[in-house]
Each structure stands twice: as C-alpha cells, then as structure tokens.
Amino acid sequence: MSILSKFSFKDQAFKLRENAILDAATAVLGTKGYDLMTMDDVAGAVGISKPSLYKHFKSKEELVSEALIRLLDGAIDQVAKLDPALNPLQKLSALLEWALRVRLGGGLPFLPSTSPHVRDMLMRNVKYMLRVAKLNRQLEGLVQQAQKANLLNPALPSDVILFSYYARTCDPAVDFLQKFTKLPDDDVVRHMLTVAFQGLSGTP
Amino acid sequence: MSILSKFSFKDQAFKLRENAILDAATAVLGTKGYDLMTMDDVAGAVGISKPSLYKHFKSKEELVSEALIRLLDGAIDQVAKLDPALNPLQKLSALLEWALRVRLGGGLPFLPSTSPHVRDMLMRNVKYMLRVAKLNRQLEGLVQQAQKANLLNPALPSDVILFSYYARTCDPAVDFLQKFTKLPDDDVVRHMLTVAFQGLSGTP
DNA sequence: GTCTATAAGGAGATAGAC
DNA sequence: GTCTATCTCCTTATAGAC
C-alpha cells in the first residue's frame, strides 16, 4: 500500500475546499477588515453554507488566524527564495517590493493588524507567533548586516528600522495612491520604495 | 439684555458635558478602535447613562465623527500657529512632531481611519471633508514649496509625498516602539522624524 | 459532510417614568 | 434631562434532518 494512499480523494477535496475558504477569507479581510467580515460573507464567497464553514474552522478567530498564518508563510517562503547574490539592502528592498505588489493585487500585508482585537488574538496564537519570530529573526539579521555595511542608517536603533520596515508593508499611502491617483502600480511601488529608503527629502 | 445671556448656565453645562463625552470617546477610540468601542463604554467613561449620550449625539457615527472633527480642528489650529520664520520643511517637520507627540500621549492621529466603515462614514460627512480639504490645501502648499526649494525630493509626485506624510502621522511603528522597547518618547519622535525625512538608509 | 432552521448573546437605539 | 428597562437587529455558533 503506497504511502500516498494516506491522502484519499476525499482528503484532497477537503484540503482544496479549505484553501478556497482561506482565499475567500483573505479577500474579504482585505476589503472589509476583521470586524466587518461576517462568516456569512465568507460562506457566500466560497459558495457553501455557514455550518460547512464551521466543519473546517471551529470559529471566526481560528479561520482568520489560519488565513494570516498562510500569508506569513508566503512571506517566509519569499525570504528563502531571495537571490543570495543580493546585498542585505537589496534583499530588504526586494522583499518590501514583493509585499507591496501583493497588496496592490488585492492581497493583505503580512502585518495586517491595526485592530486591537486581531492583534491580541494573534499574540495568543502560538502557531502564528512562531512564524513571526522566525521571520523577524531573518529580517533582523538583514537589517543588522545592512547597518554594519552602512547601507542602512547605522545611527538608528535596529528596532526602529525593523518596525518602520514592517510598517511600510502596510503603509496606508499605498491605498490612497491606488484609490485617488492614476499612478500605475509599478510607479506606486517605485515611489514607495524611494520614500521608504531615501525618505521624503531624498538626496541619498 | 446682554448678548451673553444667549449662553445660559444650562447651555454652558451642556457644552461642558458634550466636551467630556468627546474626550471619553476619543480616549476609547484610541485604545479599542471604532468597532470595539461601545456606547456603554463611552457612557461609563463619562459617568452618565447611555440614553443621556443620545441626547447629545443621535448615533454612534455622529459621536465619532464629531470627535474626529475636533481632532482635525486641533491640527488646523496647529498649522495656523506655526512659526512663520520656519522654512516649509521645518514646518512640516514641526507639525509631524506635534502629531506624533499627541499619539504618544494617548491621543489619536488626525488620520485615524484604517477601518473601511469609519473611512466611508467620514467621506460622507461634509463637515469633516471640508476640514480635510482645508488642511490638505495648506499641507499641499507646504509640500510644493519644499519641493521647489529642493528641501523635499522634487523627483517625487507631490501626491506621493503628501500621502506618505499623512501616513507617518499614524505609523504603527510608533505603537510598536512604545510597547516593545524602552525608548523614551523623545527618542521615538526623533527617530521617526529621521526615518520619515531621511529614510531608512539615512545619509542625507 | 452539507444543508435549513434556530439558539444565544451582544450592541445600537428608544419608551416612558421621574 | 436623566435614568431603568426594553426593543430590535445582527452575528456567531450549533442542533438535527438528509
């Protein structure tokens, strides 16, 4: 008996639907945010009924947590796939560019939580916090390397740079620019990267 | 009969309580956000009952809108009080510093709305939008002057600078730094200003 | 496992006494 | 004008048939 038989057709279908639910939840989260997102919204978007949703996720909190964990995994993957030939600053820039493009494409940032409810929920979630710690370790390393090489301002505490870097991935200016100007996405990304690393004054 | 008699003791007391309500609403908004703030929270914080709240404000939306309008008025006041001797960049810096200090002191930023519900509500509010337009006109003028004088990056579209500037007033990095590091408020402000204008790379 | 129907509880808003 | 008590609606979550 092949080990693959462990994954029956039914299990595969179950996994597929689970992913579809997470996709829908991610999309609704992006437009309405946690508090305004209802389980009916998600069920409707997937095309199933609410009780079926609860067969996959035992609560709204668990559903949202899993969706955000999946996003975080995407970010961690992205870090792993970075071209090793890049210097630390180029890596950080590439990663921020990726995050901005995900958002412009309708996705969520990997640091989405402005709502106190969601923030507390995630900080109690071990699975989520383990991934945050992993990602944070890697980014912290990049920041410190870049500071040593004088690619990032060595006069700033690493924490300040790291938190500000995270903040850029969920910068509301991105939404404003997309909504109120006719700038193409590529220009938005380019300008946001300039502002993040060179600041509003420029003249690097 | 003096024109002052128009403001009776009762009216004055009414106004005072109205301000107390707005203070309480602002405080609760700062900690819990719009969706998690209940009218019971606000009533409890003021020390009155919920129906009394509704004698002053006919809905939760109106209460929150008025609180945010008052905040915006504070920002507009602050612009008016700027030292005319400062150059445009110094004025923008001083204003951002003021906004950051308000937040660190437990207040709200004057661009508070991450929640789609609140954002839509405010955009339908003429009173609010008039003030936004006024503040925006003044800041846009400062930005353009600063760009002409090469104090802000002239290669960036003004919109990009303006929206990014607004975004810095509600930068989540501020909350993280206050919560997870032991940095004194003065240092947080100093570093955030550096990051905003010189960027993460520094070397201005 | 999926659905229809429903329980349980929270929060905005109000009726009516004082 | 203020309060106690209540209405109403919405949303999370589940019971029970198929």
Side-chain angles (χ1 to χ4, degrees):
Chain A
M1 195 183 207
S2 157
I3 194 172
L4 284 179
S5 69
K6 189 172 156 195
F7 305 103
S8 70
F9 285 126
K10 213 163 72 176
D11 284 343
Q12 286 181 41
F14 195 85
K15 270 286 170 205
L16 276 180
R17 178 146 39 207
E18 204 155 284
N19 258 300
I21 294 173
L22 289 174
D23 287 342
T26 304
V28 178
L29 275 177
T31 57
K32 313 181 73 169
Y34 178 82
D35 295 300
L36 270 61
M37 173 191 114
T38 73
M39 295 301 262
D40 285 301
D41 288 336
V42 179
V46 184
I48 63 177
S49 72
K50 197 162 44 171
S52 299
L53 218 56
Y54 279 91
K55 295 291 179 186
H56 292 265
F57 303 95
K58 74 171 193 300
S59 70
K60 181 181 179 181
E61 294 203 349
E62 185 186 299
L63 167 58
V64 171
S65 298
E66 290 295 329
L68 297 181
I69 285 171
R70 210 182 47 157
L71 282 167
L72 214 42
D73 281 335
I76 292 172
D77 270 8
Q78 207 61 26
V79 174
K81 281 195 292 193
L82 284 172
D83 182 352
L86 299 178
N87 72 34
L89 176 58
Q90 290 169 324
K91 286 183 184 171
L92 288 169
S93 181
L95 198 61
L96 178 52
E97 176 168 352
W98 169 80
L100 292 174
R101 288 193 190 279
V102 168
R103 276 189 60 204
L104 285 167
L108 275 181
F110 58 83
L111 187 79
S113 196
T114 55
S115 142
H117 186 166
V118 179
R119 189 178 52 71
D120 294 349
M121 170 181 93
L122 292 177
M123 290 193 56
R124 289 192 312 267
N125 186 315
V126 177
K127 209 168 152 189
Y128 186 86
M129 290 308 289
L130 279 174
R131 282 161 173 84
V132 167
K134 178 175 178 179
L135 181 62
N136 196 59
R137 247 192 326 274
Q138 310 210 32
L139 293 183
E140 197 174 21
L142 287 175
V143 166
Q144 285 169 358
Q145 286 175 43
Q147 283 186 287
K148 267 188 202 126
N150 221 10
L151 297 165
L152 288 180
N153 190 344
L156 288 171
S158 299
D159 285 343
V160 171
I161 293 188
L162 196 53
F163 286 140
S164 293
Y165 179 82
Y166 286 134
R168 291 311 169 269
T169 68
C170 56
D171 196 317
V174 174
D175 303 304
F176 287 131
L177 288 173
Q178 193 178 33
K179 202 170 310 238
F180 297 122
T181 73
K182 292 294 169 201
L183 278 183
D185 284 359
D186 283 344
D187 290 348
V188 172
V189 171
R190 195 162 43 84
H191 292 319
M192 293 307 294
L193 289 174
T194 301
V195 170
F197 292 106
Q198 265 85 53
L200 299 175
S201 296
T203 64
Chain B
M1 196 185 209
S2 157
I3 192 172
L4 283 179
S5 69
K6 189 172 156 193
F7 306 101
S8 70
F9 285 126
K10 214 163 70 173
D11 284 342
Q12 286 180 42
F14 196 84
K15 270 286 169 204
L16 275 180
R17 178 145 38 204
E18 203 155 284
N19 257 301
I21 294 172
L22 290 174
D23 288 342
T26 304
V28 179
L29 274 177
T31 57
K32 313 182 73 169
Y34 177 82
D35 296 299
L36 270 61
M37 172 191 115
T38 72
M39 294 300 261
D40 285 300
D41 287 337
V42 179
V46 184
I48 63 177
S49 72
K50 195 161 46 170
S52 299
L53 219 54
Y54 280 91
K55 295 292 179 186
H56 293 264
F57 303 94
K58 74 171 195 298
S59 70
K60 182 180 178 181
E61 293 204 349
E62 185 185 297
L63 168 57
V64 171
S65 298
E66 290 295 330
L68 296 181
I69 285 170
R70 210 182 47 156
L71 281 167
L72 214 42
D73 281 335
I76 292 171
D77 270 8
Q78 205 62 25
V79 174
K81 281 194 292 193
L82 284 172
D83 181 353
L86 299 177
N87 72 32
L89 176 59
Q90 289 169 324
K91 286 182 184 171
L92 289 169
S93 181
L95 198 61
L96 178 51
E97 176 168 349
W98 169 80
L100 293 174
R101 288 193 189 280
V102 168
R103 276 188 60 203
L104 285 168
L108 275 182
F110 58 84
L111 187 78
S113 194
T114 55
S115 143
H117 185 165
V118 179
R119 187 178 52 72
D120 294 350
M121 171 181 94
L122 292 176
M123 290 193 56
R124 291 192 311 267
N125 187 313
V126 177
K127 208 167 152 191
Y128 186 86
M129 289 309 289
L130 279 174
R131 282 163 174 82
V132 167
K134 177 174 178 180
L135 180 61
N136 196 59
R137 245 190 329 272
Q138 310 211 32
L139 293 183
E140 196 175 21
L142 287 175
V143 166
Q144 285 169 358
Q145 286 175 44
Q147 283 187 287
K148 267 189 202 127
N150 221 10
L151 296 166
L152 289 180
N153 189 344
L156 288 171
S158 299
D159 285 343
V160 171
I161 293 188
L162 195 54
F163 287 139
S164 291
Y165 179 83
Y166 285 134
R168 291 309 169 270
T169 68
C170 56
D171 197 316
V174 174
D175 304 303
F176 287 131
L177 288 173
Q178 194 178 33
K179 203 170 309 238
F180 297 122
T181 74
K182 292 294 170 203
L183 278 182
D185 284 359
D186 283 345
D187 290 347
V188 172
V189 170
R190 195 162 43 85
H191 292 320
M192 293 306 294
L193 290 173
T194 301
V195 170
F197 292 106
Q198 264 86 53
L200 299 174
S201 297
T203 63

